[in-house]
Amino acid sequence: MSETTCATAAEVGLLLANRFADAVTEGPGPVGDTCLYVTPEKIVDVVRVLRDEQRFDFLMDETCVDYPDREPRFEVIYNLYSLSTGVRVFLKVKADDSEPGVPSITPLYRAANWFEREIYDMFGVRFAGHPDLRRILLYESFKGHALRKDYDATLRQPLIGPADGPDHARRHG
Amino acid sequence: MFGETFLTTTVDTVLKWARKNSLYPMPFGTACCAIEFMSVVSSHYDLARFGAEVVRFSPRQADLLIVAGTVSCKMAPVLKTIYDQMAEPKWVIAMGVCASTGGFYDNYATVQGIDTIIPVDVYVAGCPPRPEAVLDAVIKIQEKIEKEQHAPLF
Ligand code: SF4
């Protein structure tokens, strides 16, 4: 345990930047939030420091954004919050959809289990060490990843029933 | 000698009369329309006035399937199974635009109208439809039952 708990997100950012010199860089914080880019190799360590030393006891959200023009094209975003100090920090990890993927933080936060499954379902980003990386919202036979920017918005993949019934033709024909 | 105490009719007519005035609805409520359906069966609008107040949550005991809500592709096989489990004769109301056409959920996950999976007798427009519209749909089902050529016996 570190002796000090940072009182502001900026202090947390400074602490992480010092501790993980090469792995943590400042990211965009357009609305005043503290946002840090973390390399995939170090994300588990960074999150562990936040959880164990800085009392970030709440993984509010873990999500993803697709930037088709970038390389790598995805950013996984961690929204960590401390209920005791009221500090919030965003972490971002750049990722592609290759194996083995971004290290899973499920061992640290059980809430990450379903978040990461949802990211896998919607974007196809994989998480190394995830205990149960399956689709969570869509069905196993669904092809592709629906929230990627290049997923055709008019594509229909019904489990049963006609894929291109009259309704489909009327709307998209 | 019996005066006016007799009424002659056909089995058909009696069956249809009985069926249309004792519909057992089974609500398949998956979204906000189901909340509106609750008010349809509650005291203010009172579906009981049309003999359809005995809401059953088992498809085996129901003959009117009211699909109230958005049906996702993942839910579609469930809806089909429930429809198949209902005994003949049976009727279906698609309540609200979601059940009728997919509504504004024109996306990868939503069934674009339950008529792509099961037959529908009456569509009710609205998001959600007013309770009066649902009552109207039940009356339309009753009219439909009355006009059926031969009511199947079993
Ligand atoms: S039609 Fe409107 S009220 Fe009904 S389920 Fe769809 S969104 Fe909800």
Side-chain angles (χ1 to χ4, degrees):
Chain A
M1 283 297 280
S2 88
E3 358 22 284
T4 51
T5 303
C6 299
T8 64
E11 284 178 40
V12 175
L14 218 57
L15 176 121
L16 291 177
N18 287 335
R19 183 90 67 96
F20 300 93
D22 301 330
V24 174
T25 46
E26 196 172 337
V31 285
D33 296 310
T34 293
C35 174
L36 304 161
Y37 277 114
V38 183
T39 60
E41 298 77 36
K42 280 280 180 263
I43 181 66
V44 173
D45 293 337
V46 170
V47 172
R48 183 179 288 118
V49 166
L50 290 180
R51 187 193 70 163
D52 293 345
E53 298 178 15
Q54 297 299 322
R55 301 163 74 188
F56 281 82
D57 41 14
F58 188 6
L59 176 69
M60 275 198 142
D61 195 10
E62 183 178 344
T63 183
C64 186
V65 179
D66 179 15
Y67 299 100
D69 307 329
R70 293 193 195 167
E71 185 58 45
R73 68 183 275 190
F74 301 104
E75 268 180 14
V76 179
I77 301 165
Y78 305 79
N79 177 353
L80 288 155
Y81 184 71
S82 168
L83 288 171
S84 36
T85 61
V87 175
R88 183 196 308 279
V89 165
F90 289 93
L91 304 177
K92 289 187 175 185
V93 171
K94 293 183 173 147
D96 55 23
D97 55 358
S98 63
E99 296 273 10
V102 183
S104 170
I105 61 161
T106 306
L108 298 176
Y109 293 97
R110 289 178 67 188
N113 188 323
W114 283 13
F115 285 143
E116 288 177 355
R117 280 179 66 186
E118 185 179 349
I119 296 171
Y120 167 69
D121 192 356
M122 293 295 159
F123 296 91
V125 174
R126 280 154 224 277
F127 290 90
H130 189 286
D132 183 28
L133 197 62
R134 290 179 291 131
R135 287 187 184 276
I136 186 169
L137 295 172
L138 294 168
Y139 29 98
E140 286 303 320
S141 57
F142 193 89
K143 299 250 178 346
H145 301 281
L147 290 192
R148 286 190 180 189
K149 296 259 166 45
D150 53 9
Y151 185 89
D152 178 7
T154 64
L155 186 64
R156 296 290 175 268
Q157 310 187 39
L159 258 184
I160 59 168
D164 299 314
D167 184 67
H168 185 274
R170 181 169 57 75
R171 281 160 190 250
H172 309 295
Chain B
M1 83 196 218
F2 295 111
E4 304 252 310
T5 59
F6 266 87
L7 185 67
T8 51
T9 180
T10 60
V11 176
D12 226 39
T13 313
V14 172
L15 269 180
K16 287 196 264 194
W17 173 80
R19 271 176 193 156
K20 87 181 213 300
N21 291 304
S22 64
L23 285 165
Y24 278 35
M26 146 111 206
F28 189 86
T30 46
C32 9
C33 270
I35 307 290
E36 203 70 7
F37 178 76
M38 290 174 207
S39 77
V40 177
V41 290
S42 307
S43 50
H44 193 80
Y45 293 98
D46 200 10
L47 198 54
R49 292 179 292 154
F50 305 91
E53 79 275 29
V54 192
V55 175
R56 291 287 125 139
F57 294 94
S58 160
R60 301 281 188 211
Q61 300 169 352
D63 54 7
L64 174 62
L65 180 62
I66 298 182
V67 183
T70 325
V71 179
S72 67
C73 291
K74 214 170 169 182
M75 204 63 181
V78 179
L79 176 59
K80 174 87 166 69
T81 307
I82 284 180
Y83 177 78
D84 290 343
Q85 283 174 340
M86 289 170 64
E88 295 278 1
K90 54 190 169 187
W91 298 272
V92 178
I93 291 176
M95 177 180 171
V97 288
C98 282
S100 302
T101 67
F104 47 72
Y105 297 107
D106 187 2
N107 63 18
Y108 58 89
T110 307
V111 173
Q112 301 296 298
I114 56 163
D115 53 3
T116 59
I117 325 167
I118 58 174
V120 175
D121 294 286
V122 178
Y123 300 84
V124 190
C127 176
R130 286 200 52 90
E132 293 93 331
V134 182
L135 294 179
D136 185 54
V138 171
I139 294 169
K140 286 215 161 58
I141 292 276
Q142 291 182 332
E143 286 166 6
K144 185 166 180 169
I145 295 171
E146 202 165 10
K147 282 197 214 111
E148 263 167 7
Q149 279 303 320
H150 295 286
L153 276 175
F154 299 105

